[in-house]
Amino acid sequence: MTAQVNQIRPGGKAQRSHRDYHLGFQSADSAARYPVHVHEVSAALTLQGGIAHCDMPIESGPSKLLPFSQLYRPGYLAFHQEDHRAWFEEAHVQLPLEKGDAVFFNPALFHAAGENRSSDIERMINLLQVSSAFGRAMESIDRVAMAQAILPVLISLKKAGRLSETELGAAIAATAEGYPFPTNLDTDPPVDGNAPASQAELLAKAVDEATPGKAFSDTMRVLKDRQAA
């Protein structure tokens, strides 16, 4: 889970319709080099979202969306074409948002930020990217530091009965690396399976056992050393 704050001041121009990461940020020529199955799978590797930091009437330019366009299989090439962009401008929907409203959509949905035609609204939204453990997030983040910071909080909430198992799993998934690779299999060999333990598995174990922060930090340091050796 990664986030960025996006601010568009009055007069800010609209985006051209597009798809998002991964293939959505490539040129048409670059995207065309990938086989068809990559175009289909790319849309399943992330979930895009946004949370409004202020009220966003239509004149402030909330995102324009083309419903069901994520189902168009050639879309990662087609959105570059002028006739598809023209159809987007004709058929899109655009909804006003209130402060705190959240919007989530498939990254393959044709979309574009609208023009801020207001005179006094600084449109601000928190952009979210929810990435599959098998994908690569756009942003570089320090998951070790995040896991260390959240451990005592998760232990406290679990002891107090304030987190369900589903909520605990979601917090861990949003914080620690859920995929145990890449690694050095000579120094980080599989244990009782075909893959070594991931950060997420180690964090879950530490929460269950109420592991002290220092001991968990040592575990994370050793894991990092094994993977990099």
Side-chain angles (χ1 to χ4, degrees):
M1 178 80 75
T2 59
Q4 286 182 329
V5 174
N6 182 267
Q7 182 182 42
I8 305 297
R9 294 183 172 85
K13 299 303 181 183
Q15 289 181 319
R16 303 180 77 178
S17 64
H18 61 281
R19 284 180 163 184
D20 271 349
Y21 193 70
H22 299 72
L23 290 183
F25 287 2
Q26 308 244 5
S27 68
D29 288 341
S30 294
R33 296 171 58 193
Y34 290 85
V36 171
H37 71 272
V38 175
H39 287 246
E40 296 175 347
V41 171
S42 182
L45 292 176
T46 60
L47 175 66
Q48 307 301 112
I51 301 174
H53 281 223
C54 63
D55 291 342
M56 297 182 187
I58 295 298
E59 60 266 28
S60 71
S63 290
K64 301 182 287 186
L65 310 168
L66 186 61
F68 306 109
S69 55
Q70 75 275 14
L71 302 177
Y72 187 50
R73 295 177 68 186
Y76 281 109
L77 298 176
F79 81 77
H80 294 279
Q81 300 170 3
E82 290 303 325
D83 55 343
H84 284 81
R85 285 177 165 153
W87 172 247
F88 174 88
E89 293 301 329
E90 180 179 340
H92 74 265
V93 298
Q94 191 176 21
L95 299 176
L97 300 175
E98 296 182 356
K99 182 178 180 179
D101 282 350
V103 177
F104 288 89
F105 56 91
N106 187 301
L109 188 77
F110 284 33
H111 65 283
E115 179 181 1
N116 189 343
R117 295 179 283 101
S118 73
S119 61
D120 59 354
I121 299 174
E122 293 193 5
R123 190 176 85 237
M124 184 178 293
I125 192 165
N126 203 23
L127 301 175
L128 305 177
Q129 185 190 37
V130 187
S131 298
S132 164
F134 299 105
R136 293 172 179 259
M138 290 175 59
E139 309 246 2
S140 59
I141 50 181
D142 189 343
R143 293 193 178 275
V144 171
M146 292 166 60
Q148 291 170 338
I150 202 174
L151 174 63
V153 179
L154 295 182
I155 291 174
S156 176
L157 292 175
K158 184 175 181 179
K159 285 182 177 179
R162 294 174 57 192
L163 275 183
S164 68
E165 287 302 315
T166 298
E167 290 169 334
L168 176 62
I172 291 173
T175 304
E177 179 60 64
Y179 191 52
F181 302 106
T183 191
N184 184 331
L185 288 173
D186 291 328
T187 56
D188 186 30
V191 178
D192 298 327
N194 293 320
S198 68
Q199 287 183 9
E201 290 170 327
L202 294 173
L203 178 56
K205 184 173 184 289
V207 174
D208 287 341
E209 298 177 355
T211 301
K214 174 63 166 60
F216 181 67
S217 295
D218 291 343
T219 298
M220 289 290 99
R221 187 186 69 253
V222 170
L223 173 64
K224 184 177 181 180
D225 290 342
R226 289 202 312 265
Q227 290 177 334

